[in-house]
Amino acid sequence: MEHSENWFLRKYHNGEVFGPVPFEKIREWAHSAQVNPQDMLSIDQVIWTKAPMIPEMAMDWLIVVGENLLYGPTTAEALLEFERLGEINPATPLINCNTGQSGILGETPFYQASLVNPSQEERTAASSLLGLIPRPGESGGFRVNLQQRIRELENALLEKRRKLMLAEETIVRLEGRIRELEDRIRDYSGFRRA
């Protein structure tokens, strides 16, 4: 992984781009719950990668919101921030993306450590970028955000199906046009179809 000083963060919800900044700054944003799982990172603003796909981001945790509903992946620090905000609690089920193991927030080593000795960094996790992403609670919580994401995906699927149907119609029309042109060529060249 290239630890360039020129990283860019593109926010999923509005497409706004932040940077260039050092990679460590983007990691700080992720650890303070400011990087959404759909946000994209780039070093050249040409090739973009979803933040959780970069291992150094440590976005390793999925929150089990409901039956077959997940939020994430996100960082351990973001989970602590969500718990502090009351969006999740120690009994919230989690899945570790690295190991595939399930558990609850209250049983994780990072949660236990936060109870014993919360660091100054954890107490002051909010920074000037904290308002960049809608907090789960601001728009109705994780369930509403997931339902909104599902609607967005369903709408995108419908749009793709519409485009596919138009493409198929265009193909049929063009194939007919090709047959017409082949017939014309045969007529001009003296060859006729039997």
Side-chain angles (χ1 to χ4, degrees), residues 55-66:
E56 291 83 356
M57 291 294 289
M59 297 178 78
D60 300 330
W61 295 94
L62 292 170
I63 302 169
V64 180
V65 179

Side-chain angles (χ1 to χ4, degrees), residues 129-174:
L129 290 176
L130 198 54
L132 291 179
I133 61 170
R135 293 286 185 190
E138 291 177 359
S139 60
F142 288 114
R143 184 173 300 279
V144 171
N145 288 340
L146 288 171
Q147 289 171 345
Q148 178 182 352
R149 180 69 179 135
I150 290 168
R151 278 193 303 275
E152 290 170 1
L153 290 171
E154 287 172 342
N155 288 336
L157 179 61
L158 288 173
E159 180 62 19
K160 295 233 184 263
R161 283 183 179 160
R162 186 187 68 78
K163 288 181 179 179
L164 178 62
M165 287 175 52
L166 288 173
E168 288 172 345
E169 291 171 3
T170 302
I171 288 169
V172 168
R173 188 173 34 84
L174 290 174

Side-chain angles (χ1 to χ4, degrees), residues 79-123:
L79 293 173
L80 295 174
E81 178 69 8
F82 294 150
E83 193 266 343
R84 186 188 68 76
L85 293 169
E87 289 297 326
I88 61 177
N89 61 55
T92 299
L94 303 175
I95 299 172
N96 183 310
C97 296
N98 290 326
T99 65
Q101 293 180 335
S102 298
I104 61 171
L105 176 63
E107 294 174 348
T108 61
F110 64 85
Y111 183 80
Q112 294 296 317
S114 74
L115 295 176
V116 175
N117 187 18
S119 69
Q120 177 64 25
E121 183 179 299
E122 290 167 344
R123 289 191 297 268

